[in-house]
Amino acid sequence: MQKEIHALKSGLYYELTSPTYLGEAKQTVYLNFIDYSNMDYYTRVKRKRYTLVPLLLYNYSGELFRIQLGEHSLTQLYREFLTEALLTECNSSTCFHLIDNQKEKSVPDSAYRLEVKIRTNETSAGVKLNNSSFFWFDGETMEVISNKTRPARSRLAISIRLTQGEDCLLDKTYSVDRQQTANGQKYEDSYGANAACLDEMTECLSMVTKEIVEEISQEIHLVLSLPPQNKP
């Protein structure tokens, strides 16, 4: 199970749905390098329960696994995905232009700087493997395999700090805890169930990331839209 999961990868995605800002982006904000994704490198698999029901004409075995998403199972580092999501959202729906300053080039003292820290980044789900065998009196056996995924859940917390020189304009932590609904689909083998489980986890993480990124972009937009005398 662990080896099968480690051989799979799934991609995060960001879908831009916010209204496009039609005004002129007069302000520039420099995004500092996001240095840590705050998630395990390998996806972890833990068997939570094993059930065996041996009967004369019927056998049933079931295994429940809890799976926690690791960065190795993603097609790109999460911190890189978050950086791209912030750039995509802010440069489309806000009054400012966000520049990726990951190489930490020198900028004017009066420039706006955005520091981002990932405080919590946990995504998990489950896989239930079911195997039923029926024994007929003529010696034949019928096997029924029915594997399912358990709903994915993401807990994500991201802190930001927007500054201009020595002034802090915005200092806030955004948190989301979301659980997806089960898809109800059945899979004939563990590979299909594991691949679906991984896709559901990346979908859940993508959605909570989008929710937080939209909040961040809009709050910075509001702060920078204020007249200078009204800014925090």
Side-chain angles (χ1 to χ4, degrees), residues 38-56:
N38 201 10
M39 64 191 305
D40 291 339
Y41 181 68
Y42 286 111
T43 295
R44 291 186 293 167
V45 179
K46 182 178 181 181
R47 187 165 75 173
K48 300 289 289 183
R49 187 169 65 245
Y50 176 73
T51 305
L52 177 63
V53 182
L55 299 174
L56 181 62

Side-chain angles (χ1 to χ4, degrees), residues 119-177:
R119 303 297 183 186
T120 304
N121 189 1
E122 298 175 358
T123 299
S124 60
V127 170
K128 180 72 181 297
L129 304 180
N130 300 299
N131 188 310
S132 301
S133 299
F134 299 88
F135 304 98
W136 308 116
F137 291 104
D138 57 4
E140 293 186 3
T141 303
M142 182 179 71
E143 187 176 48
V144 178
I145 299 175
S146 176
N147 304 316
K148 298 180 180 180
T149 60
R150 292 293 180 93
R153 178 185 180 185
S154 287
R155 294 175 60 246
L156 184 64
I158 296 175
S159 296
I160 68 161
R161 192 168 189 268
L162 177 67
T163 59
Q164 184 183 32
E166 296 182 356
D167 297 328
C168 180
L169 306 179
L170 181 62
D171 191 345
K172 186 174 179 179
T173 298
Y174 303 80
S175 301
V176 175
D177 186 340

Side-chain angles (χ1 to χ4, degrees), residues 68-97:
Q68 182 161 325
L69 182 63
E71 200 164 31
H72 179 265
S73 296
L74 303 177
T75 55
Q76 70 177 136
L77 299 178
Y78 178 77
R79 59 177 176 80
E80 293 178 351
F81 169 73
L82 177 60
T83 298
E84 292 177 3
L86 285 165
L87 292 169
T88 298
E89 185 66 43
C90 293
N91 290 329
S92 173
S93 62
T94 68
C95 65
F96 62 93
H97 183 54

